[in-house]
Amino acid sequence: MVEKAQTNSKSVISLTLGILSIIIPIIGLLLGVIGLVISRISIKEIEETNENGRGLATSGFICSIIGIIIHSVWIFLVILSLYLYTNVRFELQFIFI
């Protein structure tokens, strides 16, 4: 009877964190970074131990990168909009005085 290799548990965790980094708005950036690190660790472990789960780890890596990009753009747009809002407000004060 042929024994099946086990799936690496860190690859499942990295996929879960990658998906959550896309979905959860506030802490998604942090989850994406953690998922990125764990997916790299799991890929190295899979190469050493010959376990299953390389596809899960790769998917977690890609989802984590997408989550990091989404939240980085979101943070940049929030900072940009706050900067533009405060500049317009101060310029309007000087115009009406």
Side-chain angles (χ1 to χ4, degrees):
M1 187 177 229
V2 177
E3 190 175 314
K4 283 187 169 182
Q6 286 186 334
T7 303
N8 190 317
S9 61
K10 289 181 183 168
S11 63
V12 176
I13 293 170
S14 70
L15 180 61
T16 305
L17 288 174
I19 292 171
L20 288 176
S21 72
I22 295 172
I23 296 173
I24 298 178
I26 303 297
I27 57 171
L29 185 65
L30 180 64
L31 291 176
V33 171
I34 294 170
L36 194 70
V37 171
I38 291 177
S39 67
R40 293 301 300 162
I41 291 171
S42 67
I43 288 173
K44 288 181 182 179
E45 283 183 2
I46 289 169
E47 289 175 356
E48 292 174 0
T49 61
N50 233 358
E51 290 179 320
N52 291 332
R54 185 170 179 86
L56 295 173
T58 305
S59 300
F61 184 77
I62 292 170
C63 288
S64 296
I65 288 176
I66 291 171
I68 289 170
I69 290 171
I70 288 172
H71 292 292
S72 298
V73 168
W74 182 77
I75 289 171
F76 173 74
L77 290 176
V78 167
I79 291 171
L80 182 67
S81 65
L82 288 174
Y83 175 74
L84 292 176
Y85 173 74
T86 55
N87 274 349
V88 169
R89 186 174 175 191
F90 289 129
E91 289 175 7
L92 288 177
Q93 285 179 351
F94 290 119
I95 292 173
F96 291 120
I97 291 180

